[in-house]
Amino acid sequence: MNGLHAAGDAEEILTRLRRLVTIWRATYVIQMILLLLLTVAVGLQMALPGVLALLLRSEVGAQYLIPIILVPLLILDPVAAYVEHRMGRQLRVRRTPLRKVLTVLYMVPGVMLWRRSMLLSLALAWLLVIIVVLVLWFVGLVLLIGPMRVAAPVGQIFGRVVDAVDIFLNWLYTAGRQAVREIALSPVNKIEDEEHIVLPLLAAQLDE
């Protein structure tokens, strides 16, 4: 009976988490779309003054377009912060002094948006780094294929360099993921993909 009760509690917690994660993702997608629209609108207004009025066929509409985009963009910030806070509470994540400060800070409109924008930029930069490393690996392999056939040490040195770069990138990725979790109010936002974090926290909670 205790096992069935624990299983029921676990399923209930996971159901709540999935709902919260769905809301969290929805706020993220909407904010990124609004941010893109805001960037385009501001860029057009700065580069080509008056073009928004021509596109919207209304001078008044052009004046209110940017505020209309900006207001919901900022309103979603405390909503996303509260949802993330609830996710952390469901998992009973340890409330470190940093998380206590961030709980208040993320409720300020614009702060959560800044964090999300920075993480998106870092993700794109990371993708660019991976592409550059793969290109360099391919070019190096092509250029050294002749010398490697003549002298075996050349291939060994190249292999060691590749291994060292791989180890460094793995360390950098792990350190980055850990830093992101430390500045988040919930350690996960993908329940299915981060079971190695969710399940231990859930097990510890049910054992209490």
Side-chain angles (χ1 to χ4, degrees):
M1 291 297 291
N2 289 336
L4 291 174
H5 181 69
D9 289 344
E11 187 59 35
E12 183 179 352
I13 295 172
L14 286 174
T15 300
R16 293 174 187 166
L17 277 173
R18 290 190 183 99
R19 290 172 183 166
L20 292 170
V21 167
T22 300
I23 299 172
W24 189 91
R25 290 177 181 173
T27 59
Y28 177 82
V29 172
I30 294 172
Q31 276 197 312
M32 292 302 104
I33 293 174
L34 290 175
L35 181 61
L36 179 60
L37 292 175
L38 181 65
T39 303
V40 172
V42 172
L44 286 174
Q45 188 65 19
M46 293 181 65
L48 302 169
V51 71
L52 287 180
L54 292 175
L55 291 174
L56 298 174
R57 297 181 180 180
S58 171
E59 187 68 34
V60 176
Q63 292 176 355
Y64 286 101
L65 177 63
I66 292 176
I68 288 173
I69 297 174
L70 188 61
V71 169
L73 181 64
L74 295 178
I75 288 176
L76 284 173
D77 251 20
V79 175
Y82 177 75
V83 172
E84 190 172 275
H85 172 68
R86 291 296 303 167
M87 289 162 58
R89 289 289 298 271
Q90 285 294 318
L91 290 170
R92 294 189 185 177
V93 177
R94 188 167 64 89
R95 298 280 294 163
T96 62
L98 177 61
R99 281 202 174 102
K100 291 179 180 179
V101 173
L102 291 176
T103 300
V104 178
L105 194 60
Y106 287 155
M107 294 294 177
V108 179
V111 177
M112 178 67 80
L113 177 63
W114 179 83
R115 192 195 84 179
R116 286 177 159 180
S117 302
M118 287 298 298
L119 291 180
L120 180 61
S121 301
L122 289 174
L124 293 176
W126 177 254
L127 179 61
L128 181 62
V129 168
I130 295 299
I131 293 173
V132 170
V133 169
L134 289 176
V135 170
L136 291 176
W137 172 82
F138 178 76
V139 172
L141 191 63
V142 171
L143 293 177
L144 295 176
I145 191 168
M148 284 190 293
R149 289 180 177 178
V150 176
V154 175
Q156 294 175 356
I157 294 173
F158 181 73
R160 289 176 181 174
V161 171
V162 171
D163 289 341
V165 172
D166 182 59
I167 292 172
F168 172 74
L169 290 178
N170 283 330
W171 172 83
L172 188 62
Y173 178 79
T174 303
R177 291 284 292 176
Q178 183 61 33
V180 169
R181 291 193 181 102
E182 290 297 324
I183 64 171
L185 306 181
S186 170
V188 298
N189 54 42
K190 297 179 181 177
I191 303 299
E192 295 79 8
D193 298 338
E194 297 178 302
E195 292 181 349
H196 61 290
I197 299 175
V198 174
L199 294 180
L201 290 172
L202 191 58
Q205 182 176 335
L206 294 173
D207 288 339
E208 291 179 358

